[in-house]
Amino acid sequence: PFSIPSRPLPSPPFPCPLLYSPPRHFPASSVAAYAGGAMEPQEEDDPHAQWQEVRWRLLAIQSLVCMLGPLTGTLITPALSPIQQEFEASDFEISIFIGAYSLVFGLFTLLWGPISDRYSRKWSLVAALGGYFVVAYVMAWAQSIYSLTVVRSSLAIFASSFFIVTVGVISDTFYRNERGVAIGLRGLPPMIATMFGPPLGGFLAYVNWRLCPALSSSVGLVCFLIVLYGLPETLDKKVARTRRLDIVAPLRLIVMPSIFFPALLQAMSLGTMVLCNIIVSLSFTSVYDTNTLVIGLCLIPGGIGNAIGGVIGGKLADKGSHAYGRGGRLAVTLVAPVLGAAFTVLFGWTLETQLWVPTVVLFFVGFTDSMVNPAVISFCIEERPTNAAAVNSGVAALTFAALFLSQVVAIPLAGSLGYGPVLSGVALLQVLAIAPVAVRVYQTWGQLSPLAAAKSVQHAAAPTEIPSSVEAYADPFEGQHSAKQRLVNADAEPTK
């Protein structure tokens, strides 16, 4: 399925020891299995092999943890109107209350990725969950819109770790050809939370909105105990020792064009989806004279669309990668955002017609926009496999920066200009973000992932045994290897 060039490989535009590491020996059976799409080439010390029997159980634990993030947002979304009434807050103060959470969330994703890549996956989650359930409980006692904004923003510090660290666990335990499905399945419980969170939050807000953060705190405590006693440490300590704690690593990764433009498209898609949900919560009360329970029920179709779209998007990404290489993994991102933009425009212009019309359209908005996430995340992980959590940190930081801008800018504009024109402008930006991704798809169509390509070239060359782990040569950062590894790289330099 892949041809070996007869001439030396051209030098890349940036230093990439991944492509030029010394050749290693892989058993012929492993290469044959990889050629058939069954698995990646395995070494005798394959770090993924030890997790094959328990990887799905670990994925279930991760999915439960990741459910906390959407649950935090969906429980409080129907309660925005009661909060605004109790604290007599303006629309601008409510937009700051929503946007500050997204801003802090995005900033602290830059921290959790490098920490979990360098020190520990398990204990990063344990620390984050411990802080989460304490701060969520404190949030239930806020006495003003300002204190509520500060405490909820503090909650984002800990909630920002869940999706970041679990992507690292998936990278540790799943082979490349399964990661898209794993990421899609990991997102299924969180998407289910977006289905049942709004009606549950609407019911709790109908009684007292303070029950919403109290419930989040209780679920956080349960997840804390499950992770503490049920999740083993999956980080390869040998590889982790070759890294240093580099907080700016996600920023260096996200500015790479091969990662930035797919991440920007995902940020636009997720931002559009969240913006539509917030508009439902803020507008339906005045437009249709409904209560919080009805608003929660109207948000259910969007959550169902999110769940279905996330799973289907992951499967399509893996099938595209198997059939057409790296570019095939992103093929779904060329179609789904166009459909999502069309449904966003339809949602904006039918918002004030009849209640059932925007509710039904919200399903298709969630379905199409959520298909982008697993394809983009799995593609970016393949670009830098040994820094999976740091890559996801950069992607999440960009995503929540877009969320912050959409919530602080688009919501006040929608109140003055109308929902149709504002959502039409947002949809146009989403379509424009597809163009650079289409260029990247064209460039990588039919190519193997960098690590798999390096392994196949190494196997076809004169194979020799090198006692270091191949993961060491996949590190994208210079100067972070041990002295022995740098010496091996220096010996391989003349073979470029």
Side-chain angles (χ1 to χ4, degrees):
F2 37 78
S3 60
I4 307 302
S6 58
R7 59 183 184 280
L9 293 172
S11 298
F14 53 87
C16 187
L18 170 65
L19 297 180
Y20 302 110
S21 56
R24 295 178 58 87
H25 174 68
F26 296 94
S29 58
S30 296
V31 176
Y34 176 78
M39 57 183 291
E40 289 186 344
Q42 295 188 33
E43 303 173 80
E44 295 179 357
D45 57 346
D46 179 13
H48 297 87
Q50 60 179 317
W51 305 111
Q52 293 311 294
E53 295 183 0
V54 297
R55 67 190 190 281
W56 297 110
R57 177 176 66 84
L58 301 184
L59 183 64
I61 295 176
Q62 299 168 62
S63 301
L64 180 63
V65 172
C66 289
M67 185 176 65
L68 278 177
L71 189 66
T72 303
T74 55
L75 282 178
I76 205 68
T77 299
L80 291 177
S81 294
I83 291 173
Q84 187 174 20
Q85 294 172 3
E86 178 175 335
F87 296 130
E88 298 181 353
S90 64
D91 289 342
F92 179 74
E93 289 172 334
I94 290 296
S95 66
I96 292 297
F97 167 71
I98 300 170
Y101 178 87
S102 300
L103 179 63
V104 175
F105 197 109
L107 290 175
F108 276 86
T109 55
L110 301 175
L111 179 65
W112 288 109
I115 287 178
S116 65
D117 277 341
R118 175 62 181 86
Y119 295 110
S120 172
R121 310 286 196 207
K122 174 179 179 176
W123 294 107
S124 294
L125 282 177
V126 169
L129 287 167
Y132 176 90
F133 81 80
V134 171
V135 175
Y137 180 76
V138 174
M139 180 180 167
W141 298 94
Q143 298 300 314
S144 68
I145 187 63
Y146 303 107
S147 62
L148 184 65
T149 301
V150 171
V151 175
R152 189 166 186 261
S153 300
S154 302
L155 187 66
I157 296 175
F158 305 103
S160 61
S161 69
F162 302 147
F163 277 91
I164 303 303
V165 180
T166 53
V167 163
V169 177
I170 289 175
S171 179
D172 295 338
T173 56
F174 283 86
Y175 287 113
R176 178 191 63 84
N177 60 301
E178 295 179 324
R179 287 174 190 160
V181 172
I183 292 173
L185 292 176
R186 181 204 61 170
L188 187 57
M191 294 306 176
I192 292 176
T194 64
M195 288 189 286
F196 296 102
L200 181 58
F203 173 76
L204 295 177
Y206 186 76
V207 179
N208 190 331
W209 68 265
R210 298 179 187 274
L211 294 175
C212 298
L215 179 60
S216 298
S217 177
S218 302
V219 178
L221 178 59
V222 173
C223 292
F224 171 82
L225 296 174
I226 291 176
V227 170
L228 182 62
Y229 295 105
L231 184 69
E233 180 58 68
T234 62
L235 181 64
D236 188 342
K237 294 298 184 180
K238 293 180 181 179
V239 177
R241 291 192 195 101
T242 66
R243 305 169 181 154
R244 60 183 175 88
L245 181 60
D246 190 359
I247 298 177
V248 299
L251 296 178
R252 288 208 303 269
L253 290 166
I254 196 61
V255 298
M256 297 175 58
S258 60
I259 296 177
F260 175 79
F261 290 112
L264 179 62
L265 178 59
Q266 190 223 283
M268 294 297 301
S269 299
L270 180 62
T272 302
M273 181 173 61
V274 173
L275 182 62
C276 291
N277 288 334
I278 294 175
I279 287 176
V280 168
S281 302
L282 294 177
S283 65
F284 274 28
T285 301
S286 58
V287 173
Y288 298 107
D289 193 22
T290 59
N291 55 38
T292 57
L293 183 58
V294 175
I295 291 175
L297 294 174
C298 291
L299 290 171
I300 290 180
I304 296 175
N306 293 344
I308 298 174
V311 175
I312 292 178
K315 290 185 177 180
L316 290 178
D318 281 344
K319 289 183 178 180
S321 176
H322 177 67
Y324 304 108
R326 295 164 59 200
R329 185 175 289 280
L330 285 178
V332 66
T333 64
L334 304 182
V335 179
V338 176
L339 298 176
F343 287 119
T344 300
V345 173
L346 182 62
F347 174 82
W349 290 101
T350 60
L351 191 63
E352 300 180 5
T353 54
Q354 296 184 18
L355 182 65
W356 66 271
V357 177
T359 302
V360 172
V361 175
L362 194 63
F363 166 84
F364 294 100
V365 172
F367 174 76
T368 51
D369 286 339
S370 62
M371 293 177 69
V372 178
N373 179 64
V376 169
I377 295 297
S378 56
F379 176 84
C380 293
I381 289 176
E382 285 188 1
E383 292 293 294
R384 289 294 181 265
T386 58
N387 294 88
V391 168
N392 201 36
S393 293
V395 174
L398 183 62
T399 300
F400 281 89
L403 281 176
F404 172 75
L405 291 176
S406 66
Q407 292 161 359
V408 173
V409 177
I411 292 177
L413 282 178
S416 58
L417 300 179
Y419 297 109
V422 171
L423 289 178
S424 298
V426 172
L428 177 61
L429 293 176
Q430 184 179 358
V431 172
L432 293 177
I434 299 175
V437 178
V439 174
R440 189 60 183 167
V441 170
Y442 175 78
Q443 292 173 341
T444 58
W445 195 263
Q447 293 183 7
L448 294 173
S449 67
L451 185 57
K455 288 181 177 181
S456 64
V457 171
Q458 291 162 5
H459 177 70
T464 56
E465 285 290 336
I466 301 295
S468 303
S469 172
V470 75
E471 294 288 346
Y473 303 107
D475 195 336
F477 303 112
E478 295 289 343
Q480 297 184 19
H481 305 299
S482 66
K484 180 179 178 180
Q485 290 165 332
R486 287 197 299 269
L487 185 59
V488 171
N489 286 339
D491 291 340
E493 188 69 16
T495 65
K496 279 191 177 181

